[in-house]
Amino acid sequence: MCLLPLRPRVIRLIRMPARPVDAGRRTCSARALSPAVTRKDYILRQREEHGRRALAVLPVHYPKELLTAFGVLAVELWGPPGPPRGEGAGRLQTYVCALARNALAFLASGGAAPVGGVLFPHTCDTIQGLATLVSDLGEFDKPVLTFLHPKGPPRASAHTFLLAELRSLAEELAEFTGRALEPERVREALRLHQDIDTHRALLLDARRRLPLSDRELYEVLRRGEWLWPEDHLAELRAVSASLHAEPVQKGVPLLVTGYVPEPADLLEALGRAGAYLVADDYAAVGRRLVRSEEWFDSEADPFRLLARRYFLAPPCPTRSADPGERMRHLTGLFERSGARGVLVHLLKFCEPELFDLPWLRSTFAARGVPLLFIEGELEASLSAREVTRIEAFVEMLS
Amino acid sequence: MNLRRAQYELAGRLVGPLVLALESWQRRLARRPRSSRPGPFGPPLQATRKLKELMSLHYYQGRFAQGAVPVAWVTSGFPVEILRPLGFHAFYPENHAAICGVQRLVPPLSDAAEAEGYSRDLCSYARTDLGSLLAHRTPVGRIPRPDLLACCTNICQTVLYWYRALASHLKVPLVLVDAPYVYRSARPHLVSYVKEQLEELVQVAEGISGRRVEPEALVEVTARAKEGTRLWGECLAQGRHRPAPWTGIDGFFHMAPIVSLRGTESCNAYYRLLRDELVDRVRQGIGGLVEERHRLLWDNLPIWFWVRELSALLAGRGFNFVCTSYTNAWAEAGARIDPADPIGSAAQAYTHILLNQDLANRLAILGRLSRDYAVEGAVLHSDRSCKPYSVGQIDLKERLARELGIRVLLLEADHSDPRAFSAEQGESRLTAFMESFG
């Protein structure tokens, strides 16, 4: 049985030399909060110390608040990056996206040993197929849960369906944990996740004043994919405290849109080239932030609150967002952030994202905004060719 | 009746049939005498001529539909029965893309879509139709501009993105019927959700057509759709006989009416004709092949641009695809249709489309087809353009071989883009596969 991450990840917030930030910057106080621990160790410790069962979760959108309310630790499975390994490596064709190929290989080779089951949100045809492949043909012996999104406009039938689907997932979670749902715990979880989103949004919106490199910032943000929410919030608070009053970032600010910031050395390549990400629309990061608190109503049924919050998330193609609405969101983000260029960073074969590509190109071309399109397959590291393209792009914007 | 409507009706009832008869007569005159050398195929199906007439007439009449009747572009899995009582002319972009595939027009059309920014990794049907729209090029003469785009996600999510792109280019309303994926069994809220959307669809379609759906008319169309799928199932079932009276490749072409004309009397009349001919061939012992030595199953869409080569390659060695999961899907859907409850049963039927159900169901269907049609082997087309059909095939291959004791080949190709297929490699793999039967 292998460890949950194929590359044991050491949790240190400040691992890379931060560039191109002012030399005399404030030190991030979150460093002391994060002793080195692997993801697997963390999952086991959560189980031992808090009795929390872990659930591996495939991308992208799912009601994490509900998992938190049930005391379930969500451990998101974004690949992992690198070539698929183990006996399940060849069970999906090479024209299927690398995330699904890697996830299947990972699950089939015992990667999910520390977790109690897997949740498959209905993100796309491939992840939907992966759910049945794992549970029906994969001889996977742990519970497989599914969560179906309503696709299309947020019409009345979509609201009704989402409510029913949330209740259905709650029943599955009750069975998974052996606990009954307590409505007040859902409300608490909703408030906790709103607090987290507010802090994550602060770090992204105040990017210029944050004395961290992109790699450092994204390590903090992406640890939310597997830390218990309160632990994640504590780190976010600590990092937020390191914000400067004045901008400290130097270089070319870029807006990024895409699926997931992998390989992570893409972020380093940007830094070396003299750029940094000032606005984020990654499915894994920015597209999951609910900034509005309009959903909250202390009297409402918790499932209604979950549904309301769900529909307030930014437009995402994997939830079949209207492209026009998405382009308005992105141009607004671009203008507010002061970005000077757009980086489109997609996963090869990802249909929901690729269908929006012509819109992205034409929307930003019409505004005279330079755009660089990079497509990857969750490689372990960025190719020299892509590094050169990034360097040329940033040089053009400098 | 306005002039356009009169043109449309005349095209369908008088001019179209006359033009087609004339073309047919010209073709017969120009046809060279057939070689006397016997080929591997049995005598051609007489119904094929009627099929060509039927589909040509549908496309011909479509040229006059714009401004005459409301026009809807619909996905193959869309509950078109609801649109028919409102007088919609239904055009099927998938069917059109398949025609482009057969005629090997996909590369230039896809180039036009790619020039617009659409990735070559997207479904080739989507690229073909978007390219056709952008390049103003089609092999069917003229495509009627839609008043409504109607898409149902029961075959894939791709159609949602594809139709949204069409809606943006054409500036017409899009109706989406979101059919959630069925793991094991459809939970009640899934079916209620689809039913609710179908009721929303009725309102939108009524608004566009300016008519009301008459309940009696909806019942009639639904009954015809059910009858059509039953007749199509009867045609396919003739393949259980030895020798099968036709080939699975024939089936790919003869499925066009059940996809494009479902719910019409012309569709049902055609399948009665085809069924009677197939029954007659069975009675006379006439096969799709002169000598049927081995019986195979085909899984997934056809390789449209290579069907003739594939057919000849297999037929030359006495191999026949006596059943295909793709054509069978159109026969299975009808069982849940109930004319007494058109909307409710449509929600049930269209939620339970083959591609909207889990792999356990797919494995069961493949197993049942393999047994019912007594196949000795299966070819699973690993279709680069169709992820919902292809994800899981590597495991299905292993399970079919293990559980049924049949030989199974995974053939990498694409349903309509020849640039994603190596004919030499495909031929070599198929040849080796056939040699394994001894």
Side-chain angles (χ1 to χ4, degrees):
Chain A
M1 293 291 173
C2 75
L3 300 177
L4 237 190
L6 290 175
R7 286 180 305 168
R9 181 182 288 201
V10 175
I11 313 173
R12 285 205 191 90
L13 277 177
I14 309 301
R15 194 161 64 177
M16 298 300 302
R19 282 178 292 178
V21 184
D22 277 358
R25 66 182 187 190
R26 196 181 301 177
T27 306
C28 175
S29 56
R31 188 200 304 240
L33 294 174
S34 305
V37 60
T38 66
R39 201 186 295 213
K40 181 186 175 186
D41 289 341
Y42 184 82
I43 294 166
L44 295 176
R45 203 181 295 167
Q46 286 288 313
R47 175 83 199 220
E48 286 163 16
E49 294 175 7
H50 304 283
R52 292 174 186 141
R53 289 188 84 187
L55 198 60
V57 187
L58 273 285
V60 175
H61 303 277
Y62 62 101
K64 192 170 183 177
E65 304 91 334
L66 202 52
L67 273 66
T68 305
F70 272 102
V72 173
L73 177 70
V75 182
E76 296 177 12
L77 190 54
W78 292 83
R85 299 182 179 98
E87 57 197 47
R91 283 171 57 195
L92 284 175
Q93 294 93 329
T94 51
Y95 54 77
V96 173
C97 90
L99 194 143
R101 280 187 280 132
N102 288 13
L104 179 63
F106 183 68
L107 294 172
S109 60
V115 302
V118 188
L119 171 65
F120 290 87
H122 182 187
T123 299
C124 60
D125 287 326
T126 299
I127 290 181
Q128 159 188 288
L130 196 58
T132 163
L133 179 57
V134 166
S135 60
D136 295 324
L137 304 183
E139 290 158 11
F140 188 70
D141 59 0
K142 296 190 176 185
V144 168
L145 287 70
T146 56
F147 177 68
L148 297 162
H149 296 279
K151 306 275 175 166
R155 50 196 163 177
S157 54
H159 279 269
T160 310
F161 175 71
L162 178 64
L163 276 173
E165 198 54 21
L166 287 166
R167 291 199 168 100
S168 172
L169 179 62
E171 284 170 19
E172 289 187 77
L173 288 169
E175 196 177 324
F176 178 71
T177 57
R179 290 167 59 167
L181 180 70
E182 296 171 42
E184 193 46 45
R185 291 186 74 128
V186 181
R187 287 195 189 89
E188 283 168 17
L190 278 160
R191 283 191 286 264
L192 173 62
H193 282 280
Q194 186 60 56
D195 208 1
I196 288 172
D197 281 1
T198 304
H199 279 82
R200 288 168 71 93
L202 172 67
L203 295 183
L204 289 169
D205 294 347
R207 180 73 189 97
R208 288 166 189 274
R209 296 189 285 119
L210 191 65
L212 297 179
S213 70
D214 281 336
R215 174 134 191 181
E216 291 163 347
L217 171 61
Y218 278 85
E219 276 198 10
V220 174
L221 295 173
R222 295 202 60 207
R223 279 148 56 82
E225 292 166 12
W226 54 277
L227 284 179
W228 180 251
E230 281 158 346
D231 291 350
H232 181 48
L233 181 59
E235 289 193 356
L236 292 172
R237 282 192 172 128
V239 176
S240 303
S242 70
L243 278 167
H244 285 232
E246 296 299 322
V248 290
Q249 293 291 340
K250 298 193 190 315
V252 177
L254 299 177
L255 178 149
V256 67
T257 180
Y259 205 72
V260 58
E262 294 284 2
D265 59 3
L266 168 90
L267 304 171
E268 287 170 36
L270 283 170
R272 278 196 302 272
Y276 69 100
L277 300 179
V278 73
D280 178 287
D281 182 57
Y282 270 124
V285 186
R287 269 186 238 157
R288 299 199 290 181
L289 292 184
V290 177
R291 290 161 187 268
S292 166
E293 297 195 19
E294 280 173 26
W295 56 270
F296 189 73
D297 175 354
S298 58
E299 300 298 313
D301 165 61
F303 287 103
R304 291 199 179 279
L305 295 181
L306 280 165
R308 272 194 217 164
R309 195 163 186 273
Y310 171 93
F311 283 112
L312 288 171
C316 178
T318 68
R319 297 198 322 178
S320 74
D322 173 66
E325 185 196 346
R326 183 168 177 231
M327 294 310 120
R328 284 191 292 280
H329 168 77
L330 286 176
T331 48
L333 193 59
F334 181 84
E335 281 158 17
R336 283 195 305 277
S337 67
R340 301 219 307 259
V342 175
L343 177 64
V344 181
H345 179 206
L346 301 187
L347 265 181
K348 195 168 169 62
F349 305 116
C350 180
E351 281 205 340
E353 300 273 352
L354 285 171
F355 264 105
D356 273 4
L357 190 55
W359 264 288
L360 286 167
R361 285 191 191 279
S362 60
T363 299
F364 286 104
R367 285 165 173 73
V369 177
L371 179 148
L372 177 68
F373 172 49
I374 287 185
E375 197 175 40
E377 291 201 76
L378 282 184
E379 296 88 353
S381 60
L382 201 64
S383 72
R385 175 177 170 270
E386 300 300 358
V387 171
T388 305
R389 293 182 69 222
I390 287 170
E391 285 170 350
F393 182 64
V394 175
E395 197 177 311
M396 181 186 75
L397 292 170
S398 298
Chain B
M1 187 185 285
N2 65 29
L3 183 61
R4 280 175 186 269
R5 180 63 191 263
Q7 277 181 325
Y8 176 76
E9 295 296 338
L10 270 176
R13 295 175 193 199
L14 187 66
V15 182
L18 270 175
V19 169
L20 293 169
L22 186 65
E23 280 182 359
S24 169
W25 178 66
Q26 282 178 327
R27 269 200 304 272
R28 275 203 298 277
L29 282 182
R31 191 175 293 157
R32 281 175 289 179
R34 287 194 169 185
S35 161
S36 57
R37 196 179 62 170
F41 295 103
L45 285 161
Q46 296 300 309
T48 305
R49 198 157 55 99
K50 183 68 188 164
L51 172 73
K52 283 181 184 164
E53 282 175 17
L54 186 65
M55 295 312 297
S56 300
L57 188 60
H58 175 63
Y59 276 102
Y60 182 77
Q61 193 178 24
R63 296 182 191 186
F64 302 93
Q66 200 174 315
V69 288
V71 176
W73 288 14
V74 295
T75 56
S76 58
F78 192 84
V80 71
E81 294 84 355
I82 294 170
L83 300 178
R84 294 216 187 276
L86 296 169
F88 274 89
H89 180 92
F91 171 80
Y92 284 77
E94 288 159 73
N95 182 258
H96 173 253
I99 293 171
C100 295
V102 171
Q103 299 194 12
R104 295 172 180 257
L105 292 173
V106 172
L109 294 177
S110 180
D111 283 347
E114 288 167 41
E116 190 76 4
Y118 293 101
S119 166
R120 195 181 281 195
D121 291 329
L122 297 175
C123 165
S124 52
Y125 272 180
R127 280 183 281 127
T128 301
D129 269 313
L130 288 166
S132 172
L133 185 70
L134 295 164
H136 306 289
R137 190 174 165 190
T138 171
V140 300
R142 190 168 69 226
I143 298 172
R145 188 184 157 79
D147 301 294
L148 174 70
L149 292 162
C151 120
C152 183
T153 59
N154 55 2
I155 51 168
C156 60
Q157 298 298 308
T158 304
V159 292
L160 161 60
Y161 304 108
W162 168 8
Y163 273 58
R164 225 168 30 193
L166 289 175
S168 167
H169 285 291
L170 293 162
K171 309 276 184 271
V172 290
L174 164 65
V175 169
L176 165 73
V177 175
D178 175 26
Y181 194 76
V182 177
Y183 296 101
R184 290 182 184 84
S185 63
R187 290 163 291 160
H189 71 273
L190 266 68
V191 181
S192 308
Y193 175 44
V194 176
K195 188 180 173 197
E196 214 173 316
Q197 293 174 80
L198 294 183
E199 284 158 356
E200 290 167 0
L201 159 71
V202 170
Q203 289 176 17
V204 175
E206 283 180 340
I208 288 170
S209 67
R211 289 165 62 172
R212 304 277 299 169
V213 174
E214 296 300 334
E216 302 79 26
L218 184 58
V219 167
E220 258 177 51
V221 172
T222 304
R224 278 202 295 268
K226 186 176 179 69
E227 173 71 354
T229 56
R230 190 186 64 75
L231 288 165
W232 173 237
E234 282 184 18
C235 295
L236 293 177
Q238 303 311 312
R240 296 179 187 185
H241 295 277
R242 249 178 221 274
W246 61 341
T247 71
I249 305 289
D250 292 326
F252 287 138
F253 291 100
H254 287 268
M255 71 184 285
I258 197 63
V259 177
S260 302
L261 299 170
R262 195 168 62 254
T264 66
E265 184 46 41
S266 57
C267 168
N268 294 3
Y270 173 71
Y271 284 126
R272 281 188 206 102
L273 182 83
L274 176 65
R275 178 202 56 194
D276 292 348
E277 186 183 354
L278 290 169
V279 168
D280 193 49
R281 283 169 72 112
V282 168
R283 203 176 294 128
Q284 294 184 54
I286 299 171
L289 303 186
V290 172
E291 188 186 1
E292 181 185 284
R293 275 182 260 160
H294 299 288
R295 297 162 66 83
L296 301 176
L297 175 151
W298 176 274
D299 183 51
N300 215 323
L301 278 78
I303 307 168
W304 286 117
F305 55 88
W306 204 58
V307 281
R308 290 183 206 290
E309 292 86 343
L310 172 70
S311 186
L313 178 69
L314 272 83
R317 290 167 174 81
F319 284 77
N320 189 9
F321 289 115
V322 293
C323 61
T324 77
S325 61
Y326 185 56
T327 51
N328 180 68
W330 301 99
E332 302 242 338
R336 293 176 195 267
I337 295 178
D338 178 6
D341 179 15
I343 304 280
S345 68
Q348 279 283 356
Y350 285 94
T351 302
H352 285 89
I353 295 290
L354 174 75
L355 287 182
N356 208 42
Q357 294 191 69
D358 60 30
L359 286 168
N361 176 69
R362 178 106 155 268
L363 181 64
I365 288 175
L366 291 175
R368 176 161 53 77
L369 289 175
S370 299
R371 283 187 291 273
D372 289 353
Y373 288 78
V375 303
E376 301 144 77
V379 176
L380 311 185
H381 169 204
S382 170
D383 184 350
R384 184 184 167 92
S385 272
C386 190
K387 308 289 189 297
Y389 224 139
S390 303
V391 164
Q393 278 183 320
I394 293 170
D395 283 70
L396 285 172
K397 172 180 183 275
E398 192 266 325
R399 291 284 286 267
L400 284 173
R402 177 160 43 109
E403 292 173 12
L404 300 173
I406 60 173
R407 293 178 176 83
V408 190
L409 175 76
L410 196 69
L411 184 67
E412 293 263 358
D414 187 279
H415 55 241
S416 60
D417 192 343
R419 297 170 303 182
F421 175 61
S422 162
E424 290 78 11
Q425 201 179 57
E427 194 173 324
S428 298
R429 284 179 61 76
L430 279 163
T431 305
F433 176 65
M434 289 188 285
E435 282 172 3
S436 74
F437 286 78

